[in-house]
Amino acid sequence: MGLDFTAIDFETANGFRGSPCAVGLTKVRGGRVVDEASWLMRPPSGHDHFEYHNVRIHGIRSEDVAGRPRFGELFPEIGAFIGDDILAAHNAAFDLGVIRSGLEVSGLRGPAYDYVCTVMLSRRCYSLVSNSLPFAAEEAGVPLVNHHDAAEDARACAGILIDIAGRNNANSIAELYLSLGLELPRQHAFDPARDGLSKASLAAVSGGGSNGAALVRPFLAGWPEEGPNPVPNADAEPSHPLYGQTVVFTGELAMARPEAKVRSAELGARPESRVTARTTVLVVGDGFVAADLRSGRLTGKARRVLELHDRGQAIEVLSEGEFLQMVGGYAPVPGR
């Protein structure tokens, strides 16, 4: 087998991951891009409102998809392009979740997919202070001009995976994962009528609010409440990008910090309150995006992370949006 896979990237209309409005796909055979496809679409009915923050990120508006097929109607074409390929995505927990939630709220079954998360592989194989797509693409030598254009983001993801395989002398995904001592993760087939809905879909359908209103608290002046540090869930999925990480939060978060700690611990992370030699991930609030690492708009904790990274500590910075995507939250994600 050669280095064969399909890279995928979704953009969503609102904070609910089951609201896809665009998808980009890049097919790779033998380590070379051989085909590409992209579609605009209407999100599933009832989840098709466009929120300001999402539009600001990707520029797609409701009028741009008016008259287009809905995600559920278009998925047979998307699925046919993917075929039996392994899927690659940058933060695969999000993009695989889009497929699952989008099909669930459309009342449709979904196929099984083996998948690769290039965020996880970037952590393993690069040494970056941020593993967001622009930083990882730059390290891989992949042009990324129009970030959040789904087609371009999928192409960048493919380039990152090709570069990482090359650095590890791997001629296939199986060889790459074997060389890194990893097990290829899998999203199993599902039928919402038989298996029930995923947590994200349940929250949206039950009125938790696809704009995340139930998760967002008003701004409160003063020092954010830290709350206790929960014990990591020993039964969490090891392929999740937060599994095994030691996570610290800084800045004002839309989600209360104790809730953020609980949700990270559920996914196998160890939340702590201070940046130390154990810290591997710092989540930064206050509207931070990965580009701020270059502009210098940083909290004291973030500056501390840069110092530790420069000294060789394996530590990275996430925007709150990137974190919320990873935990299945509703906020949009600049800098993914």
Side-chain angles (χ1 to χ4, degrees), residues 4 18 22 24 105 134 149 152 161 168 175 186 206 233-234 236 250 259-260 264 285 292 307 320-321 336:
D4 302 342
V105 297
D149 174 89
E152 189 162 342
L161 183 49
N168 287 274
E175 280 188 21
R186 182 174 179 84
S206 65
N233 175 15
T250 185
E259 172 69 8
S264 61
D292 291 335
E307 292 171 4
E320 183 186 11
R336 179 171 60 89

Side-chain angles (χ1 to χ4, degrees), residues 102-316:
L103 291 176
E104 284 177 334
V105 297
S106 301
L108 299 173
R109 293 177 294 178
Y113 289 113
D114 291 326
Y115 64 90
V116 170
C117 178
T118 50
V119 169
M120 294 280 288
L121 294 179
S122 176
R123 279 185 185 156
R124 283 289 191 118
C125 301
Y126 299 153
S127 179
L128 304 175
V129 72
S130 168
N131 289 290
S132 66
L133 189 61
F135 279 73
E138 180 180 36
E139 178 68 17
V142 180
L144 180 58
V145 177
N146 298 311
H147 184 30
H148 292 297
D149 174 89
E152 189 162 342
D153 284 0
R155 192 181 308 125
C157 173
I160 292 165
L161 183 49
I162 292 168
D163 179 68
I164 288 174
R167 294 188 188 205
N168 287 274
N169 299 312
N171 295 312
S172 69
I173 301 296
E175 280 188 21
L176 175 61
Y177 268 64
L178 184 64
S179 70
L180 296 174
L182 299 172
E183 184 175 338
L184 192 65
R186 182 174 179 84
Q187 175 164 285
H188 295 285
F190 59 89
D191 181 344
R194 178 193 65 215
D195 302 319
L197 301 181
S198 62
K199 187 175 179 180
S201 298
L202 273 173
V205 170
S206 65
S210 63
N211 64 357
L215 300 177
V216 177
R217 64 193 180 102
F219 177 80
L220 299 173
W223 200 262
E225 179 192 354
E226 281 286 343
N229 293 317
V231 175
N233 175 15
D235 297 321
E237 174 54 56
S239 64
H240 193 278
L242 289 176
Y243 183 87
Q245 303 298 315
T246 299
V247 182
V248 175
F249 299 88
T250 185
E252 189 69 31
L253 306 177
M255 180 187 295
R257 198 173 290 184
E259 172 69 8
K261 288 185 173 185
V262 167
R263 295 181 71 172
S264 61
E266 287 174 349
L267 293 164
R270 180 178 299 281
E272 293 189 343
S273 300
R274 295 186 304 110
V275 174
T276 69
R278 294 187 299 273
T279 307
T280 57
V281 171
L282 178 71
V283 178
V284 184
D286 298 325
F288 165 88
V289 294
D292 291 335
L293 289 168
R294 294 190 173 108
S295 70
R297 192 177 74 84
L298 302 171
T299 66
K301 283 183 180 177
R303 290 192 182 91
R304 173 67 173 152
V305 163
L306 291 177
E307 292 171 4
L308 292 172
H309 185 270
D310 288 344
R311 294 176 189 173
Q313 183 169 331
I315 188 169
E316 68 172 303

Side-chain angles (χ1 to χ4, degrees), residues 2-85:
L3 186 63
D4 302 342
F5 62 91
T6 293
I8 190 166
D9 180 83
F10 282 103
E11 301 297 331
T12 56
N14 55 69
F16 172 46
R17 67 187 188 184
S19 66
C21 60
V23 65
L25 297 144
T26 297
K27 187 172 289 291
V28 173
R29 289 290 179 269
R32 294 180 179 273
V33 173
V34 297
D35 200 3
E36 294 182 317
S38 62
W39 288 273
L40 291 175
M41 67 197 77
R42 283 186 296 160
S45 179
H47 307 278
D48 51 3
H49 64 284
F50 280 71
E51 292 175 357
Y52 167 78
H53 294 293
N54 294 67
V55 173
R56 180 173 58 86
I57 292 165
H58 53 56
I60 303 168
R61 302 175 184 274
S62 58
E63 54 264 34
D64 297 323
V65 300
R68 303 269 183 169
R70 292 198 185 273
F71 171 68
E73 299 167 327
L74 191 59
F75 188 76
E77 289 186 63
I78 297 171
F81 186 94
I82 297 168
D84 296 327
D85 277 5

